[in-house]
Amino acid sequence: MIIKHILPIIVICAAVFTAASPVSAAERPEQLAQAVAEGWLSLVDAGQFAESWQSVAEYFKAAVSEAQWKASLDTARRPLGSVISRKLKSAKYTRSVPGAPDGEYVILEFETTFANKKDAVETVTPTMGKDGKWKVSGYFIK
């Protein structure tokens, strides 16, 4: 008899907690930014450096010209060879990063193995643009 009455309460509680959640797990900033970063990284992986620059945040474009970006990747990334594996290590949402204006950022760190470098950490930092879309605003390899 008690179980008969508890089950509806559990269902109601589950519905209330689900409805009260303002953002689903798939819509969390970290996950949205990760999807953008991974798509952008696929351009870089394919050697489409000009296309990767075209899709970055305006802040990035103002700091680094397309020619500088292509030259940097030719110097720093091409020698590493192709990507063997890439795994998300961490994702941190923040409103402030050093040397950039306040805004919405997600700092993503990927453990990456390249053909010519076994243990690398790629840091990709997407930012929320004025248009409400995530775009890459920083990229570093250690």
Side-chain angles (χ1 to χ4, degrees):
M1 188 74 140
I2 292 176
I3 293 176
K4 191 177 186 180
H5 295 290
I6 291 177
L7 187 56
I9 292 171
I10 292 172
V11 170
I12 290 170
C13 287
V16 167
F17 286 118
T18 302
S21 174
V23 177
S24 74
E27 295 173 326
R28 288 186 33 223
E30 295 88 348
Q31 289 166 325
L32 295 170
Q34 180 182 346
V36 167
E38 288 174 346
W40 182 84
L41 283 167
S42 69
L43 293 173
V44 175
D45 293 345
Q48 297 178 329
F49 301 157
E51 292 84 350
S52 70
W53 186 85
Q54 291 295 329
S55 67
V56 295
E58 292 305 317
Y59 177 78
F60 187 113
K61 287 180 182 176
V64 180
S65 73
E66 183 176 347
Q68 290 171 320
W69 176 242
K70 288 167 61 176
S72 294
L73 288 179
D74 275 331
T75 302
R77 175 67 191 267
R78 224 180 266 284
L80 301 177
S82 61
V83 173
I84 305 301
S85 67
R86 179 181 284 129
K87 179 181 174 188
L88 183 66
K89 178 180 174 182
S90 67
K92 179 186 173 195
Y93 176 85
T94 184
R95 293 194 175 270
S96 178
V97 295
D102 288 346
E104 292 185 71
Y105 298 89
V106 176
I107 301 168
L108 301 160
E109 289 187 333
F110 294 91
E111 293 175 338
T112 306
T113 300
F114 294 96
N116 301 323
K117 183 168 178 63
K118 276 190 164 186
D119 299 316
V121 175
E122 291 178 290
T123 303
V124 183
T125 307
T127 187
M128 176 63 73
K130 293 177 184 175
D131 60 0
K133 295 180 182 177
W134 289 98
K135 292 186 179 178
V136 171
S137 65
Y139 176 63
F140 304 97
I141 303 172
K142 288 195 271 186

